[in-house]
Amino acid sequence: MKFTLSWLKDHLDTDAPLDRIVEMLTAIGLEVEGVHNPADTLAPFRIAEVLTAEPHPDADKLRVLSVDTGSGAPMQVVCGAPNARAGMKGVFAAEGSYVPGTGITLKPTKIRGVASNGMMVSERELELSEDHDGIIDLDAGAPVGEAYAAWAGLDDPVIEVGITPNRQDCLSVHGIARDLAAAGLGTLKAGTVEMQDGSFPCPVDIRTEDEEGCPAFFGRVMRSVTNGPSPAWMQRRLRAIGLRPISALVDITNYITFDRGRPLHVYDLAKLEGGLTARKARAGESVEALNGKTYALEPFMTVIADDARVHDIGGIMGGEDSSVTETTTDILIECAYFDPVSIAKTGRALNLNSDARARFERGVDPGFLHGGMALATQMIGEICGGEASRVVHAGHAPEDRRLVSYDPALCASLSGVDIPAAEQARILSRLGFEVEEAATWQVAVPTWRRDVDGAPDLVEEVVRIHGFDKIPSTPLPRAEGVARPTATPAQMTERRVRRAMAARGLDEVITYAFISDAEAAPFGGAAHRLDNPISSDLVAMKPSALPSLLSAAQRNLDRGAGSARLFEIARRYLADGERPVLGFVLAGLASEKDWRRGGERGFDLFDAKAEIMAALDAAGAPIDKVQVQRTETEWYHPGRSARVMLGPKTCLAEFGELHPRVAAALGLSGRVGAGELFLDALPPSKAKRSRPAFTPPPLQAVTRDFAFLVDPDTVTANLVRACAGADKKAITGARLFDYFSGKGVPEGKVSVAVRVTMQPAEKSFTDEEIAALGEKVVAAAEKAVDAQLR
Amino acid sequence: MTVTIDSETERWLARIAEAATPAGVEAIRVEALGKSGAITQQLKQLGKMSPEERQTAGAALNRMRQTVQDALGERKGALEAAELDAKLAAEAVDVTLPVDHGRTGTIHPVSQAMDELAEIFADLGFKVATGPEIEDDWHNFTALNIPAHHPARAMHDTFYFPKVEGDPGSEAGAGAPKLLRTHTSPVQIRTMTTEAPPIRIIAPGRVYRSDSDATHTPMFHQVEGLVIDKGITMGHLKWTLETFVKAYFETDDVALRFRPSYFPFTEPSAEVDVRCAWENGQLVIRSDGDDWLEILGSGMVNRRVIEMCGLDADEWQGFAFGAGIDRLAMLKYGMTDLRPFFEGDGRWSAHYGFSPFSVPTLSGGVGA
């Protein structure tokens, strides 16, 4: 909402300087978003008189002017404006002036060989209007040498405030003035206008058949009006707030929209057929609106129609057919009340915004229908002349006399600031509330404050005007002692996993939750798709953490990164809900060429396995109890992927090399490692704060290596587990350290070497004891996987 | 005799000095002090002497043996040291050759900021609460006092899912479409409908609005705060936010402005601006700045919201606030553009990410 300082002062009697007004507006909740004085950019421009205008010797359309700028000798200016002539007064821009409409700073120049110093400017060049037919042509009385902006009334700061959706009353200069007056910045001027009785009955039948959408429709005819341009002061104000002046009748309705927050519509009576009715649109109806677009109407929309057609999308935008023009002489003024919900629905369905819609959908003052009609009649009469009919009142504006019970003590208990009851009453009454002071006050809410319907609203009004800065900062009571832990075990797990992954060298990224259908497809497609996505790239809620990570990895590699090791803690959006997940991808090179380690190497399944096991470990999962099994998840390499199971049913994680088809679809080449840890599948931690008693054994552990031959499809993990479990007491660990086939290994067999750690308890093992343990290991290996000692 | 021994000692010492290798020294040792060495043999003769002779000759012989032995040891040590020095010198390498010490990865600034928030508010007794991102209309709007067709809904640029006929999960009406939550405020509702007051929570998380330009991304992060208790006033809200902002930005040089505003779910409502200044193209928080930056929305929880959650609004009241985490992180850590937050560019992570070992703590300072 924009207005000018002089416009505000039409409604507010105040001596307050601009900066005080600006500060107060923000302090009472009318946030100032900008202050701009057009005179600032127009400061260099002065009124000047053209003394002579001679033809240019070398150009038919140019003239050489001698211009009296009010200081020193006349300036020679070459000018192409058709209206440039001796004796006229206009606006002169000296050398060095910045001309806002052209973006040029003037320098002395020669035009077709003739020196030109400065220029005479058009309105467009000063961004005052679109007029560029000629240079500005001022009244003969304009004082030569004076600043043009001040003389023309343009030294009027434009203030822009952000109005919150609850404050329709402040989508009007009058409403803003009321708030400022309540805050002590002056006195609100009444601004009421006497309703002028009509001299003849309204010749148009006005009705409302849609009492829900348009409960009140007041109308009157005015005859013999002249619809020329509106007065200069009105045009200046409209332009200052960004509106284009059109004609007096249109400008007046626009002016009242901003001046009083009261949208009106004016029809050209000659273009109406029969009576005007507010009704629901009928199937198939459409209307060409004033913005030149045609809108197909739906039966829930409220329209104003005559006997032949729809003329107005009620409360949103008028129709082109019956709009007023320069030749209009007889008009019908519509002053109606439209239902906010109906307006909001219609506006949204048509995707049509207007200043009228902005006000009606927030709820205009139902108590200002007569006032609005009176003001419109008076202004049209003054500016356009004409004779008004009597007013037809179809329907009634909603009666909305709300009484709120209010205990002034609520102010302190809700806001924390104790404001004396008398001051509270004073603030409320200045805002237009009627306060009946008793034990519990009865406060009548003014008709224009549709937003106020409870005691807390009144606290807000009082405290906002009193000043939020006066609310005392009050420490929140806190528990005694050191702060207690507040994070849940799941939150702690997430934090540990996140930092563990980063510590292992992966970068945490955050990607959008929505991806394209093409990205989702290899991962089983999306269970949830947006109805109104921003673009088709951001439509499918990701069913896995991987697709967006893979796309991010691909972008990094395409930019020349040697590797992308990325992880994200995100959600999978599945048909049965959203589930927390850690996802990671390993793309590009696992290690680059290195003078110590040799050639470069890509990622593989086991790199992915290392990450997933580390993540599970950090998450506190019992990794000595999990089982790693082949998985058939379709987006992984069928022979190089696995799932991590805890018991027969709980899948904690999946990892592997991405299926080459999926990688290729996402623009990745080479082996790509990936994995997901399903955070919601983790079992609750069983760790207790206190650990079982433990003393490190004093004797040195003994290791023995065993090499076995097994079939290639042997589950090696079972072999290692068997070795480790061969003697529960003495064997404390078994680690596979070699796995190979080929030279030296019988055809069709794999050699697997396992180092077994044996821990003596009270006394060192004898050779016999070690040999016996070795036999147990060999027997267990054979039993488990038919392994033969080499 | 003594003279003879002295000259013999000198001879041994001269030979020892001439030895060039530890092996050479060892050979002399054997020759002099070995089982059948010259000095050993002389010492063996002592037993045959008279006590008088033995006294003089014995002392002289033993002195020679000691002197030779010491000289041998010293020479051997010196030669071994020289040999080791030469070996080590030959082993010298170019110490500037690079090693791969294993790059540490990075924590995303939003995660870091969330951990900082959790730490600060933990000290004030706030738990961290979460909720679904695919929300229903009732929790995202209706229960927050934003009924259907309320103009505030239009400000939310909501992402919707297709209408599901007769979906029982949508309390705004059968079949009302699910949506992506537009703010973290529905977590207020989920907390108040499931937990008994007093309540102190923060709810950080991802939120979604159909908005994408230089300063907006369709997904971003918010943190919600909620306190429901007895006797809570706007004064407590003010103190809490002042305390938070000072702790988060790690400065007491903070000036806040509470500006009356409007949110359907709070009343009275305030937007909170912080004093700031532009320094070398970056926004800096300082109480003597010349500009204001809006960082928070807040207010006293609307009675209707409390009632809709099934609590007695005469007994319980409180405040709520919300802030954009991405913006808080940008302001604290100097990012100028929001969009790269969600692009996963490794170069950005390397520059703006945090070490996993920089865990925000109150004792160490939450500012990593």
Side-chain angles (χ1 to χ4, degrees):
Chain A
M1 168 78 192
K2 287 183 183 175
F3 57 94
T4 73
L5 183 61
S6 75
W7 195 343
L8 176 70
K9 287 184 175 178
D10 279 1
H11 294 277
L12 183 69
D13 193 356
T14 183
D15 298 328
L18 177 65
D19 55 357
R20 177 95 183 98
I21 290 172
V22 166
E23 196 181 303
M24 184 57 82
L25 283 167
T26 295
I28 59 177
L30 306 172
E31 187 187 7
V32 175
E33 293 174 338
V35 180
H36 164 70
N37 190 343
D40 293 344
T41 48
L42 299 181
F45 302 96
R46 304 205 160 254
I47 297 167
E49 181 172 4
V50 178
L51 301 174
T52 62
E54 304 297 334
H56 189 290
D58 280 333
D60 289 349
K61 290 188 174 166
L62 297 180
R63 257 161 291 196
V64 181
L65 312 182
S66 171
V67 177
D68 176 8
T69 65
S71 58
M75 305 296 284
Q76 177 171 293
V77 175
V78 178
C79 179
N83 64 338
R85 63 188 186 278
M88 81 179 286
K89 287 188 176 164
V91 180
F92 176 73
E95 295 163 30
S97 307
Y98 174 80
V99 181
T102 63
I104 291 169
T105 301
L106 297 178
K107 284 181 275 193
T109 183
K110 277 188 178 178
I111 299 174
R112 296 268 178 114
V114 178
S116 183
N117 304 303
M119 72 186 286
M120 298 296 287
V121 294
S122 70
E123 292 201 346
R124 193 170 81 188
E125 281 157 345
L126 296 191
E127 291 188 324
L128 296 176
S129 76
E130 287 306 301
D131 187 0
H132 194 54
D133 294 339
I135 54 176
I136 295 171
D137 196 345
L138 298 178
D139 291 349
V144 171
E146 288 200 5
Y148 166 66
W151 177 81
L154 297 171
D155 187 4
D156 190 9
V158 181
I159 302 162
E160 180 165 16
V161 290
I163 302 295
T164 53
N166 58 326
R167 293 302 304 278
Q168 178 279 333
D169 63 305
C170 285
L171 290 174
S172 81
V173 183
H174 188 75
I176 289 168
R178 183 190 298 115
D179 260 33
L180 283 170
L185 236 62
T187 312
L188 182 69
K189 297 180 186 174
T192 45
V193 167
E194 285 295 306
M195 180 63 97
Q196 187 185 333
D197 273 343
S199 54
F200 60 95
C202 180
V204 180
D205 181 22
I206 288 170
R207 278 177 297 163
T208 175
E209 289 177 359
D210 178 9
E211 292 197 3
E212 195 188 334
C214 179
F217 180 5
F218 295 177
R220 99 186 313 174
V221 159
M222 284 185 78
R223 280 191 176 133
S224 309
V225 299
T226 309
N227 189 23
S230 58
W233 64 266
M234 183 178 281
Q235 293 199 22
R236 262 200 313 273
R237 283 184 178 171
L238 293 175
R239 278 203 193 97
I241 65 167
L243 292 183
R244 187 166 58 92
I246 293 167
S247 69
L249 288 168
V250 175
D251 293 354
I252 289 166
T253 59
N254 284 338
Y255 189 85
I256 295 173
T257 298
F258 283 85
D259 191 63
R260 302 299 302 246
R262 171 20 87 181
L264 300 155
H265 189 60
V266 176
Y267 301 83
D268 187 335
L269 193 59
K271 296 169 187 163
L272 298 179
E273 293 178 41
L276 268 188
T277 305
R279 61 166 170 81
K280 291 272 193 261
R282 294 173 188 140
E285 279 185 325
S286 67
V287 62
E288 184 188 356
L290 281 167
N291 60 6
K293 292 183 186 159
T294 299
Y295 292 90
L297 303 169
E298 293 184 54
F300 66 85
M301 299 174 177
T302 301
V303 297
I304 310 286
D306 67 5
D307 295 350
R309 65 178 68 81
V310 173
H311 285 285
D312 185 53
I313 308 169
I316 298 179
M317 195 172 280
E320 185 64 32
D321 280 351
S322 54
S323 62
V324 293
T325 65
E326 295 158 11
T327 59
T328 299
T329 55
D330 297 344
I331 58 169
L332 183 127
I333 308 170
E334 166 204 308
C335 182
Y337 184 91
F338 294 97
D339 175 60
V341 170
S342 168
I343 292 285
K345 272 178 161 167
T346 303
R348 206 174 308 150
L350 297 176
N351 193 22
L352 178 56
N353 285 310
S354 69
D355 293 323
R357 173 188 165 187
R359 286 159 179 77
F360 280 121
E361 78 178 353
R362 287 165 175 79
V364 302
D365 179 3
F368 192 67
L369 267 73
H370 288 278
M373 181 61 94
L375 182 60
T377 309
Q378 181 185 316
M379 289 184 80
I380 292 170
E382 281 172 10
I383 293 167
C384 306
E387 196 182 347
S389 80
R390 289 195 272 280
V391 179
V392 181
H393 303 104
H396 304 278
E399 277 283 332
D400 197 9
R401 292 295 292 166
R402 265 159 298 147
L403 271 180
V404 175
S405 298
Y406 182 64
D407 175 358
L410 182 66
C411 180
S413 71
L414 196 57
S415 75
V417 57
D418 200 358
I419 304 170
E423 172 65 4
Q424 294 193 43
R426 198 186 62 82
I427 289 171
L428 289 172
S429 59
R430 281 197 181 188
L431 288 169
F433 294 85
E434 289 161 30
V435 179
E436 194 188 305
E437 293 185 50
T440 296
W441 295 3
Q442 293 299 310
V443 179
V445 179
T447 53
W448 59 84
R449 290 304 299 270
R450 190 167 170 266
D451 57 309
V452 173
D453 57 3
D457 292 292
L458 298 181
V459 173
E460 181 169 52
E461 291 306 302
V462 167
V463 179
R464 147 179 104 82
I465 298 296
H466 181 72
F468 272 22
D469 57 331
K470 300 196 180 76
I471 297 170
S473 182
T474 314
L476 197 62
R478 50 182 298 166
E480 281 186 33
V482 173
R484 308 286 197 285
T486 54
T488 63
Q491 289 163 1
M492 289 311 295
T493 297
E494 209 171 278
R495 289 187 203 172
R496 273 195 298 269
V497 168
R498 172 180 288 117
R499 288 182 188 272
M501 294 307 274
R504 291 182 57 82
L506 281 75
D507 287 316
E508 186 188 15
V509 301
I510 297 178
T511 60
Y512 289 151
F514 20 57
I515 57 179
S516 68
D517 282 323
E519 287 171 302
F523 298 87
H528 304 272
R529 292 179 78 257
L530 291 174
D531 203 30
N532 58 337
I534 269 193
S535 79
S536 61
D537 287 342
L538 306 173
V539 66
M541 299 305 290
K542 56 189 178 194
S544 153
L546 298 182
S548 53
L549 279 172
L550 290 163
S551 294
Q554 176 262 326
R555 289 194 298 271
N556 277 292
L557 297 183
D558 281 2
R559 271 191 294 257
S563 73
R565 304 204 286 161
L566 309 177
F567 78 98
E568 177 171 15
I569 294 180
R571 297 186 186 190
R572 298 185 296 151
Y573 305 89
L574 306 179
D576 61 351
E578 44 197 277
R579 296 161 172 273
V581 63
L582 160 77
F584 68 85
V585 299
L586 309 168
L589 295 175
S591 60
E592 306 223 7
K593 276 186 205 162
D594 187 87
W595 66 275
R596 293 177 76 199
R597 286 185 314 231
E600 59 191 30
R601 178 176 79 77
F603 289 104
D604 64 18
L605 161 72
F606 295 106
D607 292 307
K609 185 173 182 178
E611 300 305 342
I612 209 82
M613 296 315 276
L616 283 165
D617 199 8
I623 50 170
D624 51 344
K625 294 200 180 69
V626 301
Q627 286 190 307
V628 176
Q629 308 168 343
R630 282 272 167 79
T631 173
E632 280 159 26
T633 305
E634 69 237 38
W635 52 87
Y636 285 115
H637 186 309
R640 291 171 163 252
S641 60
R643 53 185 185 168
V644 182
M645 301 296 293
L646 182 66
K649 289 197 184 123
T650 308
C651 178
L652 297 179
E654 285 185 329
F655 64 91
E657 287 172 26
L658 206 60
H659 197 293
R661 260 205 307 275
V662 175
L666 291 160
L668 288 160
S669 57
R671 295 189 189 273
V672 175
E676 285 185 286
L677 194 174
F678 310 117
L679 294 163
D680 55 327
L682 289 167
S685 169
K686 286 184 185 150
K688 295 201 174 80
R689 181 155 301 144
S690 162
R691 322 272 170 106
F694 173 74
T695 311
L699 297 171
Q700 196 177 342
V702 177
T703 61
R704 286 291 180 273
D705 293 349
F706 299 85
F708 299 102
L709 291 175
V710 296
D711 290 335
D713 61 354
T714 299
V715 176
T716 316
N718 291 344
L719 168 62
V720 178
R721 193 175 296 122
C723 294
D727 187 302
K728 296 251 182 309
K729 220 171 149 190
I731 296 179
T732 53
R735 187 174 74 84
L736 181 145
F737 68 92
D738 204 2
Y739 184 90
F740 72 102
S741 55
K743 204 176 168 211
V745 179
E747 183 81 17
K749 291 286 177 183
V750 178
S751 169
V752 181
V754 177
R755 173 162 291 183
V756 175
T757 304
M758 305 160 184
Q759 176 64 56
E762 278 90 39
K763 61 182 180 56
S764 297
F765 291 125
T766 63
D767 289 349
E768 291 73 27
E769 283 169 332
I770 290 177
L773 283 170
E775 278 166 27
K776 280 188 173 177
V777 168
V778 172
E782 181 171 3
K783 187 175 176 213
V785 298
D786 200 18
Q788 300 302 315
L789 192 67
R790 278 188 83 185
Chain B
M1 179 77 190
T2 311
V3 174
T4 316
I5 286 178
D6 282 350
S7 63
E8 197 181 336
T9 303
E10 287 305 315
R11 217 169 44 246
W12 284 118
L13 291 180
R15 286 190 56 197
I16 291 167
E18 277 163 24
T21 62
V25 178
E26 178 62 14
I28 296 169
R29 190 193 66 78
V30 172
E31 200 181 319
L33 301 174
K35 253 180 191 163
S36 51
I39 297 172
T40 312
Q41 292 303 323
Q42 284 172 279
L43 283 166
K44 281 182 181 166
Q45 299 302 320
L46 286 178
K48 300 171 184 168
M49 293 179 188
S50 65
E52 292 76 26
E53 276 178 321
R54 197 180 333 169
Q55 202 160 15
T56 46
L61 274 175
N62 273 316
R63 210 161 39 239
M64 175 171 71
R65 191 200 60 172
Q66 190 59 51
T67 304
V68 169
Q69 194 172 333
D70 289 352
L72 283 166
E74 195 180 316
R75 183 63 183 159
K76 191 177 178 198
L79 287 170
E80 278 174 353
E83 210 164 61
L84 183 61
D85 285 350
K87 180 171 180 271
L88 295 184
E91 282 178 2
V93 295
D94 179 358
V95 297
T96 66
L97 285 172
V99 292
D100 181 357
H101 69 284
R103 177 182 171 274
T104 304
T106 52
I107 298 290
H108 194 284
V110 166
S111 294
Q112 188 73 12
M114 283 189 180
D115 284 355
E116 293 171 18
L117 295 169
E119 200 66 12
I120 293 166
F121 280 103
D123 191 51
L124 302 177
F126 287 64
K127 290 181 189 165
V128 176
T130 55
E133 292 168 17
I134 297 179
E135 245 318 347
D136 58 51
D137 187 279
W138 190 80
H139 285 91
N140 196 73
F141 289 126
T142 309
L144 288 160
N145 196 34
I146 314 176
H149 307 296
H150 192 285
R153 285 199 179 202
M155 299 176 1
H156 278 238
D157 299 317
T158 313
F159 283 116
Y160 285 99
F161 293 97
K163 202 170 171 157
V164 179
E165 293 303 329
D167 182 347
S170 309
E171 296 174 60
K178 291 246 185 180
L179 46 85
L180 281 177
R181 67 178 179 190
T182 56
H183 45 184
T184 42
S185 306
V187 183
Q188 285 185 30
I189 304 302
R190 292 190 174 273
T191 305
M192 279 192 275
T193 50
T194 54
E195 284 180 28
I199 292 169
R200 288 185 192 192
I201 55 149
I202 58 166
R206 289 173 198 178
V207 299
Y208 302 86
R209 292 194 193 181
S210 172
D211 198 357
S212 185
D213 57 37
T215 56
H216 296 88
T217 49
M219 182 184 91
F220 55 103
H221 296 82
Q222 276 189 346
V223 60
E224 191 81 6
L226 174 70
V227 170
I228 297 289
D229 207 333
K230 292 177 181 171
I232 297 292
T233 73
M234 261 188 119
H236 295 115
L237 167 65
K238 209 171 189 180
W239 179 87
T240 302
L241 294 183
E242 284 167 356
T243 302
F244 157 62
V245 171
K246 286 176 184 174
Y248 179 75
F249 290 106
E250 297 182 280
T251 172
D252 283 333
D253 189 22
V254 166
L256 293 186
R257 174 172 80 177
F258 285 72
R259 183 161 46 71
S261 188
Y262 170 72
F263 306 106
F265 35 96
T266 52
E267 189 163 71
S269 302
E271 282 184 331
V272 184
D273 303 333
V274 63
R275 265 269 189 228
C276 59
W278 285 94
E279 285 175 9
N280 305 319
Q282 287 199 323
L283 260 183
V284 179
I285 307 267
R286 44 189 283 191
S287 63
D288 61 350
D290 54 6
D291 209 347
W292 292 103
L293 182 75
E294 183 192 324
I295 55 167
L296 285 148
S298 68
M300 299 300 291
V301 180
N302 193 308
R303 278 182 74 88
R304 275 196 205 96
V305 173
I306 294 175
E307 284 162 1
M308 258 183 285
C309 291
L311 299 176
D312 181 351
D314 289 327
E315 186 179 0
W316 302 103
Q317 68 184 35
F319 63 77
F321 60 87
I325 297 175
D326 319 85
R327 306 229 168 258
L328 287 175
M330 287 170 78
L331 200 54
K332 184 168 178 179
Y333 295 113
M335 299 86 166
T336 49
D337 190 357
L338 173 64
R339 288 170 297 183
F341 273 63
F342 310 118
E343 286 168 2
D345 187 331
R347 298 166 301 178
W348 189 87
S349 302
H351 185 79
Y352 287 114
F354 290 84
S355 161
F357 309 110
S358 298
V359 181
T361 59
L362 286 179
S363 59
V366 291

